[in-house]
Structure formats: structure tokens, C-alpha cells
């Protein structure tokens, strides 16, 4: 581990800091650090990333922006009731939850907010810089884990892009774990390219698309012709409500469909539907129906069912990405971190879409970091 990161504290500034994913990230980091739970799902805690100079989980300090005011301890208790967090965990890590909650600042733009985009970006960037200064942090990374916003139309910067611009303005690497626009807005291209900062995204690959990135290459490699691939998602919680908006659902589905087109060589027939089922809370069910042809045109079907807890799937990946982006920043890497495509439906930069190939690229990235750590960078 490099001396600069191992002997210092690193900030993780979460956009949507009081949401289910963010609360699970903060609670999970505290639980693992305290030895209460194993780091299941964290690739950066496997042998692949040994001696790569990543910041220790115990060094991470959390803060963020949100437009809601429900305190993190109360939010954590709600996640316990929903079966997301283990019983007793919020009380065991109460100090850590309260400390992070004190670092959450009002997001925006809120109803009635008269500030223009430039003023909002300045205010958000000031919040981040103040967090770094007050907490004596060596550096900080900004990660967007807020609910999905509708696809961007026109030239107006959506909230996700305001936060992304603020991250770069504050001198922080940026990770977009959502399908929202973020740095993909045309107005931010020059800012991103000239920032000298690393950034990654977008849309974390946690469930249905993770499975598709494995199955798609399987069909292609076995020379089986996929005729149609249809899917349905049932989910509740804040993301379910957000994705009830057809424009937001379209932004989410674009990444799902792109993985199939890239791994199969062409987009098959069929669509993916997203249904908001509030009773499911943070849990989701995804069905896929795949029609394919075998030898002599024999028609066959594969059906899959994925049932999982969205926050528990996302949280370890967010911690991975925060550590990797921070290490990339320390090592002087800039621009899109295409080596991190393993984590995303719609990764920035050039790279493969098949999960196995993405893992190989990630392993190569780990090797580069290991070499830089040996050089003291």
C-alpha cells in the first residue's frame, strides 16, 4: 500500500447520500471495518488487488448531498425492517452513521430554488471542498448513487450533470453509478477533458445486465443464434418510483440493450420492461426469456429468474469504485477509466462488453496499480 493513502484519510462524497444504496455503503463499510461482517462482493478485497496501494476501508470518510432530510440512523433502521441490513447493525455502528449524517449537505435544485446552474455548481463544489478541508482529507471521490433521472433533452444541465461538474470543480475524481447523464452531457465534454482527473461510469451492473453480459457471450461463442431476448423487471423503493417515469426507464434500458447488441453482434428482437411494485421495497425480480436456434434450426428456449436486493448488490461495487478511482487519482491517471468497464452497463471509453473479457481488463489494471505502488506512486 502506498504511504500517502495508507497513512491518510480519504473522502467518499455520495450524491443521494440518504438513499438505500448510500446507507448500505456507509453501514457496510463500518461493519466490515469493525470485523462484524466479511467483505462479500468486494472485488478489491480479493487477492487480485493485493498490494495495489488501495486506500484501506478504515480510512474512508463519508459525506454527500441529498434533497431529503431523513437521518441516516433512521434510514438504516428502515433498511433493517426491509431485510436489507442485518438486525442490530444500526446500533452497533451508530457512531459511524451519525458522523456521516453530519456531513450531508442539502442537494438541489429544490423546488423554489432560484439559483442558476453556475451558482448551484459553485455551491456544491464549495460543500465538497469544505468537507475535504474540515476533515483533513488527502483527497476525495464523488460517487453518484441517486435515483435515475429522465434522459436529458435540450441544453439545460440536469442535476446529475450539476453534481458531476461540481466534483471536477472541486478537484475530485467522479464515478457515475447511475444511468443519469452526469458527465455525458455535451456541455461538460471540455470540462472533463481539461480537468486532469479520472472519471468512470455509467450505470452499475448489478443484476439482470450482469447475467446478460455472461449469457450473451455464451451464445455467441457456441454459435447459437438468438432470435429474441425479452425481459421484465419488478422493483420497488425509490428507484422503482423513479423508473415508473417512461423517460427514466428508457435511460435505464438503453444500457441493458446495448450489452446484448455488443455481445451478440446484433440487437435481438424483444424489449425489457420495468414495473414499479412498491411492496417489494429494495428487492427486485428480473425475468429473461431467450429464444434461440440450435443445430438444424431446432428452436429452444432459456428462461432465467434473478431475485436480489439492489442495495446489497450495489454497495460493495460502490466501495470498490471509490477505492479504485481514488487510487487512480493518486497515481496521476486522467480521463475515462475504461479499465473499470467490469462494473458498468454503459462504461466510458473503449472496451469489451462481455464480463469475462472485462474481468481480464480489470486484472490488467490491478497489475498496473501494483507496479505503480512498487514505484511509490
Amino acid at each position: 500500500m502506498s504511504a500517502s493513502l495508507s497513512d491518510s484519510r480519504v473522502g467518499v462524497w455520495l450524491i443521494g447520500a440518504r438513499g438505500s444504496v448510500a446507507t448500505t455503503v456507509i453501514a457496510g463499510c463500518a461493519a466490515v471495518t469493525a470485523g462484524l461482517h466479511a467483505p462479500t462482493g468486494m472485488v478489491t478485497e480479493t487477492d487480485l488487488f493485493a498490494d495495489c496501494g488501495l486506500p484501506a476501508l478504515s480510512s474512508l470518510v463519508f459525506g454527500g448531498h441529498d434533497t431529503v432530510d431523513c437521518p441516516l440512523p433512521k434510514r438504516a433502521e428502515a433498511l433493517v425492517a426491509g431485510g436489507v441490513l442485518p438486525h442490530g447493525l444500526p446500533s452497533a455502528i451508530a457512531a459511524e452513521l451519525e458522523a456521516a449524517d453530519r456531513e450531508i449537505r442539502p442537494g438541489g435544485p429544490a423546488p423554489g430554488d432560484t439559483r442558476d446552474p453556475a451558482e448551484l455548481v459553485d455551491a456544491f463544489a464549495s460543500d465538497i471542498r469544505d468537507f475535504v478541508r474540515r476533515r483533513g482529507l488527502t483527497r476525495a471521490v464523488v460517487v453518484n448513487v441517486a435515483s435515475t433521472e429522465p434522459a436529458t433533452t435540450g441544453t439545460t444541465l440536469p442535476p446529475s450533470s450539476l453534481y458531476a461538474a461540481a466534483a471536477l470543480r472541486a478537484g475530485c475524481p467522479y464515478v457515475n453509478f447511475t444511468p443519469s447523464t452526469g458527465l455525458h452531457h455535451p456541455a461538460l465534454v471540455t470540462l472533463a477533458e481539461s480537468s486532469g482527473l479520472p472519471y468512470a461510469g455509467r450505470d452499475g451492473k448489478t443484476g439482470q445486465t450482469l447475467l446478460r453480459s455472461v449469457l450473451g457471450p455464451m451464445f455467441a461463442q457456441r454459435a447459437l443464434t438468438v432470435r429474441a431476448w425479452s425481459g421484465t423487471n419488478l422493483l420497488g423503493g425509490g428507484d422503482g418510483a423513479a423508473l415508473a417515469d417512461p423517460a427514466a426507464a428508457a435511460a435505464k434500458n438503453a444500457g441493458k440493450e446495448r450489452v446484448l447488441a455488443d455481445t451478440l453482434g446484433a440487437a435481438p428482437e424483444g424489449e425489457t420492461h420495468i414495473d414499479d411494485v412498491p411492496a417489494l421495497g429494495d428487492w427486485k425480480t428480473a425475468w429473461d426469456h431467450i429464444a434461440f436456434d440450435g443445430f438444424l434450426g431446432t428452436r429452444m428456449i432459456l428462461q432465467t429468474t434473478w431475485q436480489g436486493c439492489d442495495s446489497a448488490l450495489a454497495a460493495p461495487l460502490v466501495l470498490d469504485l471509490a477505492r479504485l478511482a481514488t487510487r487512480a487519482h493518486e497515481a496521476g491517471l486522467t480521463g475515462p477509466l475504461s479499465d473499470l468497464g467490469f462494473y458498468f452497463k454503459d462504461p466510458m471509453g473503449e472496451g469489451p462488453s462481455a464480463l469475462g473479457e472485462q474481468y481480464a481488463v480489470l486484472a490488467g489494471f490491478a497489475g498496473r496499480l501494483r507496479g505503480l505502488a512498487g514505484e511509490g506512486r
Side-chain angles (χ1 to χ4, degrees):
M1 183 172 291
S2 61
S4 57
L5 285 183
S6 63
D7 297 334
S8 61
R9 297 192 299 171
V10 171
V12 180
W13 190 263
L14 300 168
I15 308 305
R18 290 191 171 111
S20 295
V21 172
T23 305
T24 307
V25 167
I26 295 166
C29 185
V32 172
T33 298
L36 301 175
H37 289 272
T40 305
M42 290 191 64
V43 181
T44 54
E45 284 294 297
T46 65
D47 290 343
L48 178 64
F49 282 97
D51 302 318
C52 286
L54 302 184
L57 290 174
S58 59
S59 75
L60 303 184
V61 180
F62 295 94
H65 283 114
D66 209 319
T67 56
V68 301
D69 56 9
C70 178
L72 280 177
K74 185 175 181 180
R75 183 65 179 140
E77 290 291 355
L79 292 178
V80 169
V84 179
L85 296 180
H87 286 283
L89 182 60
S91 59
I93 57 167
E96 289 86 347
L97 291 173
E98 291 166 1
D101 194 65
R102 289 193 294 271
E103 297 296 345
I104 298 176
R105 300 293 178 264
D113 195 332
T114 59
R115 291 175 293 179
D116 62 29
E119 291 173 319
L120 287 165
V121 170
D122 285 342
F124 295 156
S126 178
D127 288 338
I128 299 168
R129 286 193 294 262
D130 180 61
F131 170 64
V132 173
R133 178 187 57 78
R134 284 186 302 97
R135 299 305 300 268
L137 307 176
T138 301
R139 64 190 77 242
V141 58
V142 175
V143 186
N144 183 9
V145 290
S147 295
T148 303
E149 64 189 18
T152 303
T153 57
T155 59
T156 301
L157 289 178
S160 66
S161 295
L162 297 176
Y163 290 121
L168 301 187
R169 182 80 57 82
C172 298
Y174 171 78
V175 177
N176 187 2
F177 201 75
T178 80
S180 301
T181 303
L183 285 179
H184 278 71
H185 197 285
L188 299 185
V189 172
T190 300
L191 175 63
E193 291 177 346
S194 63
S195 68
L197 294 163
Y199 43 87
R202 73 185 158 172
D203 199 3
K205 185 164 55 188
T206 60
Q208 185 179 44
T209 309
L210 176 67
L211 193 59
R212 288 180 170 193
S213 69
V214 174
L215 292 177
M218 178 195 74
F219 285 107
Q221 290 162 4
R222 292 298 294 268
L224 298 170
T225 302
V226 174
R227 294 183 292 106
W229 197 314
S230 302
T232 297
N233 279 262
L234 308 178
L235 69 162
D239 216 25
L243 293 172
D245 181 338
K252 184 80 171 179
N253 283 333
K256 292 177 178 289
E257 294 164 0
R258 186 177 299 105
V259 168
L260 294 182
D262 289 349
T263 57
L264 295 173
E269 293 181 5
E271 297 179 348
T272 300
H273 299 276
I274 299 176
D275 295 331
D276 177 27
V277 185
L280 293 180
D282 204 57
W283 297 79
K284 64 181 180 182
T285 296
W287 292 308
D288 272 320
H289 185 282
I290 308 159
F292 65 98
D293 289 346
F295 191 51
L296 304 180
T298 305
R299 294 198 164 188
M300 293 176 271
I301 298 291
L302 171 64
Q303 297 183 56
T304 67
T305 302
W306 176 285
Q307 294 179 303
C309 174
D310 206 34
S311 296
L313 290 165
L317 307 186
V318 172
L319 289 169
D320 277 352
L321 288 163
R323 300 173 84 191
L324 292 168
T326 299
R327 179 68 180 100
H329 186 209
E330 185 209 24
L333 304 182
T334 64
L337 297 174
S338 57
D339 293 332
L340 303 186
F342 176 78
Y343 291 97
F344 299 106
K345 296 184 183 75
D346 184 20
M348 287 183 161
E350 298 296 325
S353 296
L355 190 70
E357 295 176 27
Q358 291 176 330
Y359 184 78
V361 172
L362 183 67
F365 183 65
R368 288 172 58 199
L369 293 181
R370 192 173 297 110
L372 292 171
E375 297 171 5
R377 291 186 58 187

